[in-house]
Amino acid sequence: FALLEVCDNWKNIIALYETHGENILQTAARVEILNELWRFDKIFLDSTGLGEGLETLLKTKVPVEGVLQTQRTKQDMHNNLRSQMQGGLGCIWNDKCRKQLADMIYEYTPEKLLKIYARQSKQHNLPGGDDYPTAIALAVLALRSAVQPVLFGSTRKTFGD
């Protein structure tokens, strides 16, 4: 999860949360607790795979919007993330987040779509190599749609340390 706070003259990822081994009900409960604490205007979540069920569980309880991860949506999200980072987006970092951002690979497909993935995932067939970048990219979608003040990122699980 990535929390984005937006004020008049600054925007900053203020918190990064990780989940380990939580089932969908536990993750939904965590989202509800975070929503009570922060009172989000909008929660963007990865609705690909397990996230679709999470979106269904949460849509009557919190202001959630699912984002289906296709090559095109992922390209748009990461282009927006890059633009926001170049435009002054601040971010609280940890070592895993820094490593995952550095590990991202960007390649164009024959169809001229930008394919974005983590080197770790491709080399070792391990999921979770892009969880932090995905969470941050989801959170900063709010900056494109002018929703304020505090928003939330990905629900994908991370694996290992």
Side-chain angles (χ1 to χ4, degrees):
F1 304 114
L3 301 183
L4 171 69
E5 187 169 32
V6 179
C7 295
D8 289 339
N9 56 356
W10 66 278
K11 53 196 175 199
N12 197 21
I13 298 293
I14 58 170
L16 296 169
Y17 295 98
E18 235 179 278
T19 61
H20 290 283
E22 291 182 0
N23 65 38
I24 194 168
L25 295 175
Q26 292 167 318
T27 302
R30 181 189 285 233
V31 171
E32 290 179 53
I33 290 167
L34 288 170
N35 186 59
E36 286 176 26
L37 178 66
W38 293 97
R39 303 198 191 295
F40 300 119
D41 287 339
K42 182 66 90 175
I43 299 169
F44 293 94
L45 64 86
D46 179 354
S47 64
T48 309
L50 294 175
E52 184 179 11
L54 184 60
E55 180 185 8
T56 301
L57 280 172
L58 291 171
K59 66 182 173 185
T60 60
K61 300 174 183 179
V62 298
V64 66
E65 181 178 325
V67 178
L68 187 61
Q69 297 288 309
T70 65
Q71 276 187 309
R72 182 155 317 275
T73 59
K74 210 168 179 182
Q75 176 180 335
D76 291 345
M77 283 175 25
H78 282 268
N79 283 338
N80 181 52
L81 174 59
R82 179 179 167 198
S83 172
Q84 295 300 333
M85 291 180 88
Q86 289 173 339
L89 173 70
C91 191
I92 183 171
W93 301 106
N94 64 33
D95 286 340
K96 191 182 287 188
C97 180
R98 205 178 344 265
K99 287 175 186 173
Q100 286 185 4
L101 280 166
D103 195 42
M104 298 302 291
I105 295 173
Y106 302 86
E107 297 176 340
Y108 280 97
T109 66
E111 296 81 25
K112 305 286 186 220
L113 291 174
L114 186 61
K115 185 176 180 182
I116 303 166
Y117 59 93
R119 184 176 294 117
Q120 172 192 359
S121 297
K122 184 171 185 175
Q123 290 176 347
H124 306 291
N125 291 326
L126 297 173
D130 66 350
D131 289 333
Y132 281 113
T134 300
I136 295 168
L138 282 164
V140 299
L141 280 177
L143 298 172
R144 232 176 45 187
S145 60
V147 176
Q148 295 182 21
V150 182
L151 303 142
F152 173 81
S154 176
T155 60
R156 294 179 56 196
K157 294 190 188 293
T158 58
F159 297 86
D161 290 332

